[in-house]
Amino acid sequence: MNDHTAKQFDEDLKSLSEMIAEMGGLSEKLVADSITALLDRDVGLAQSVIATDKAIDALQHEVEEKAVLTIARRQPMAVDLREIVAALRVSNDLERIGDLAKNIAKRVMALEGQLQPPKLAGGVDHMSELVISQLKDVLDAYSRRDAASAMEVWRQDGEIDAIYTSLFRELLTYMMEDPRNIGFCTHLLFCAKNIERIGDHATNIAETIHYLVHGEVLADERPKGDLTSMTTLTYAEGR
Amino acid sequence: MNDHTAKQFDEDLKSLSEMIAEMGGLSEKLVADSITALLDRDVGLAQSVIATDKAIDALQHEVEEKAVLTIARRQPMAVDLREIVAALRVSNDLERIGDLAKNIAKRVMALEGQLQPPKLAGGVDHMSELVISQLKDVLDAYSRRDAASAMEVWRQDGEIDAIYTSLFRELLTYMMEDPRNIGFCTHLLFCAKNIERIGDHATNIAETIHYLVHGEVLADERPKGDLTSMTTLTYAEGR
């Protein structure tokens, strides 16, 4: 790469970073808004989440095209290629996070008019706070290329999974106690699963930061704590 | 691109296609196996699905690296870049399909020993057959660069969504009828949602084929038929 190409390459990278930062800001906002909409049963806010998700999808395609054009034009070296592969991966995870927030928002519409056992909101609230802070931290870590902070996010995902598992059991119990809770709790189960998966994508971004900084894939298995797919809560237990 | 580079580029593309074909074959097998495991309650088969999913993840990273290196080395023109962007997108969708099959397999473990209302399997079975045939058709369309066949897959996704919506209502009804069904039906709800999302990814691949062949993004909105997030089945309705 000559000086001129190197300068253009740096500009390309900068513009990629700006697009990712924009996607990151949007996705943080969508996650927070979708959960506020869920907790406050705010249909108008839910609708705005659904509309804004399209902007994230469009940005992801822009990142993809910009990344590919940058590689084709500047022929970067291995270390610089990593920057671009990382941008592709992060934008992918952010796009999925936007989708998950959109799914939560869609459920808010479904819940309109249904009775809500007030106790339930507590578990969702606590879990969401953690996920939102994980997402914020990992996006900060990405913008600072800070692998150590990213690893902290990576390690904390187990806590979210533990809250999800206990919330899952709690919701099943409510359903068993009173069948009138079934409709509401089913939607809440899907919302909780979506929030848990947003946490997984924050963890993926942490892995991408590790790869970007250290040039190698994380050797450890990710701390995997969502045990609900293994959960068998019988009727008797639920009483 | 000179003749030599062009030849190398063709070889790179061929090797990308082979990786995608391998991913496609694996993902078809995982989807079929995970559903067989669910319907037959076959824990051994479920475990093999979970193990095989890692191979798809590894292939996706290989496709990503190969794609990026190909662009950097051969500096393809716009039309050839599309081939590579399409490979990236398709491998992404196939990786997600593998994940969804793995999630179904994990639920099979959870269901071990639980009573199963036999009627329920029917809806899952029918939906799965459609999804598996959609996946097969769209992968064939990709290998033949056949945009017309891809569009057929794209149009048929609405049918899967309709079956899912009716299955969702049916499962809620069973839960309301007898709380002992709640544990089982909840897992089945998540499985059904995963199958429906596999259909969505087949639709995404169809959109990528359209983009690859015609060089433009599909203007139409995708036929979106999963209305369950909008479904409010009250206790009274369910009886």
Side-chain angles (χ1 to χ4, degrees):
Chain A
M1 225 187 259
N2 61 33
D3 282 0
H4 179 64
T5 314
K7 204 178 152 218
Q8 284 176 321
F9 179 72
D10 287 341
E11 276 166 23
D12 286 344
L13 278 191
K14 199 171 152 239
S15 117
L16 269 176
S17 289
E18 283 164 3
M19 281 190 259
I20 302 259
E22 190 182 346
M23 283 184 85
L26 273 175
S27 67
E28 277 186 72
K29 184 174 152 45
L30 284 201
V31 172
D33 283 356
S34 68
I35 288 159
T36 303
L38 177 66
L39 296 175
D40 297 351
R41 313 286 289 273
D42 183 339
V43 171
L45 188 58
Q47 280 165 333
S48 103
V49 168
I50 294 167
T52 311
D53 177 56
K54 288 199 204 324
I56 296 191
D57 292 352
L59 275 165
Q60 193 229 345
H61 276 180
E62 271 181 54
V63 167
E64 210 170 47
E65 275 163 30
K66 179 81 189 175
V68 163
L69 281 174
T70 302
I71 307 169
R73 286 184 189 145
R74 320 294 180 216
Q75 298 186 75
M77 315 291 285
V79 57
D80 294 323
L81 273 178
R82 276 213 310 268
E83 279 284 346
I84 297 184
V85 171
L88 282 170
R89 288 188 189 163
V90 171
S91 75
N92 241 315
D93 282 302
L94 292 174
E95 186 266 331
R96 295 205 215 175
I97 288 172
D99 266 0
L100 291 162
K102 183 183 71 180
N103 291 346
I104 294 168
K106 280 188 182 173
R107 304 243 167 225
V108 175
M109 325 284 255
L111 290 173
E112 216 196 342
Q114 289 208 29
L115 276 182
Q116 167 165 0
K119 278 202 278 187
L120 290 177
V124 172
D125 204 9
H126 181 40
M127 187 172 154
S128 314
E129 270 172 28
L130 266 178
V131 168
I132 290 170
S133 112
Q134 290 272 86
L135 181 57
K136 190 185 170 307
D137 290 350
V138 86
L139 289 170
D140 286 350
Y142 178 68
S143 70
R144 288 181 283 111
R145 305 291 185 264
D146 179 344
S149 302
M151 276 310 92
E152 273 180 50
V153 171
W154 190 79
R155 275 187 221 99
Q156 276 166 19
D157 189 52
E159 201 178 329
I160 292 168
D161 290 338
I163 299 172
Y164 171 65
T165 303
S166 100
L167 190 60
F168 182 89
R169 289 181 152 266
E170 203 180 327
L171 287 168
L172 282 199
T173 307
Y174 279 110
M175 289 157 92
M176 287 168 184
E177 274 173 9
D178 186 346
R180 282 172 297 186
N181 290 334
I182 289 177
F184 179 80
C185 287
T186 302
H187 286 300
L188 221 51
L189 271 178
F190 277 100
C191 289
K193 182 72 196 166
N194 287 337
I195 297 168
E196 184 261 337
R197 287 180 54 226
I198 292 170
D200 285 345
H201 288 296
T203 315
N204 286 352
I205 295 174
E207 290 179 5
T208 299
I209 296 168
H210 178 94
Y211 155 84
L212 175 57
V213 173
H214 297 296
E216 59 191 19
V217 174
L218 256 184
D220 286 345
E221 273 284 306
R222 191 163 68 171
K224 201 64 203 107
D226 165 15
L227 301 173
T228 61
S229 58
M230 308 291 186
T231 293
T232 45
L233 187 65
T234 64
Y235 184 49
E237 266 186 81
R239 301 300 289 196
Chain B
M1 225 188 259
N2 62 33
D3 282 1
H4 179 65
T5 314
K7 205 179 151 217
Q8 284 176 321
F9 179 72
D10 286 342
E11 276 167 22
D12 285 345
L13 277 192
K14 199 171 152 241
S15 115
L16 268 175
S17 288
E18 283 165 2
M19 282 190 258
I20 301 260
E22 190 182 347
M23 283 185 85
L26 272 175
S27 66
E28 277 187 73
K29 184 175 152 44
L30 284 200
V31 172
D33 283 356
S34 68
I35 288 159
T36 303
L38 177 67
L39 296 176
D40 296 352
R41 312 287 289 273
D42 183 338
V43 171
L45 188 58
Q47 279 164 335
S48 103
V49 168
I50 294 167
T52 311
D53 177 56
K54 288 199 205 321
I56 296 191
D57 292 352
L59 275 165
Q60 194 230 345
H61 275 181
E62 270 181 55
V63 167
E64 211 171 45
E65 276 163 29
K66 178 82 189 174
V68 163
L69 281 174
T70 301
I71 308 170
R73 285 184 189 144
R74 319 294 179 215
Q75 298 187 74
M77 314 292 284
V79 57
D80 294 323
L81 274 178
R82 274 212 312 266
E83 279 285 345
I84 296 184
V85 171
L88 282 170
R89 288 186 189 165
V90 171
S91 75
N92 241 315
D93 282 303
L94 291 174
E95 186 266 331
R96 295 205 214 175
I97 288 172
D99 265 1
L100 291 163
K102 183 182 71 179
N103 291 346
I104 294 169
K106 281 188 182 173
R107 304 243 166 224
V108 175
M109 325 284 255
L111 290 173
E112 215 195 343
Q114 290 208 29
L115 276 182
Q116 166 165 4
K119 279 201 278 185
L120 291 177
V124 172
D125 204 10
H126 181 40
M127 187 172 152
S128 315
E129 269 172 29
L130 266 178
V131 168
I132 290 170
S133 111
Q134 290 271 86
L135 181 56
K136 190 185 169 305
D137 290 350
V138 86
L139 289 170
D140 286 350
Y142 179 68
S143 70
R144 286 181 284 112
R145 305 294 185 261
D146 178 346
S149 302
M151 275 312 91
E152 272 181 51
V153 170
W154 190 78
R155 273 187 222 99
Q156 277 166 18
D157 189 52
E159 201 178 329
I160 292 169
D161 290 337
I163 299 173
Y164 170 66
T165 303
S166 100
L167 190 60
F168 182 90
R169 288 181 152 266
E170 204 180 326
L171 286 168
L172 281 200
T173 306
Y174 279 109
M175 289 157 91
M176 287 169 184
E177 276 174 8
D178 185 346
R180 282 172 297 186
N181 291 335
I182 289 176
F184 179 79
C185 286
T186 301
H187 286 300
L188 221 51
L189 272 178
F190 277 101
C191 289
K193 183 71 197 168
N194 287 338
I195 297 169
E196 184 261 336
R197 288 180 54 226
I198 292 171
D200 285 345
H201 289 295
T203 314
N204 286 351
I205 295 175
E207 290 179 3
T208 299
I209 297 169
H210 179 94
Y211 156 84
L212 175 56
V213 173
H214 297 296
E216 59 191 20
V217 174
L218 255 184
D220 285 347
E221 272 284 305
R222 192 164 69 172
K224 201 63 204 106
D226 166 15
L227 301 174
T228 62
S229 59
M230 307 293 186
T231 294
T232 44
L233 187 65
T234 64
Y235 184 51
E237 267 186 81
R239 302 298 289 196

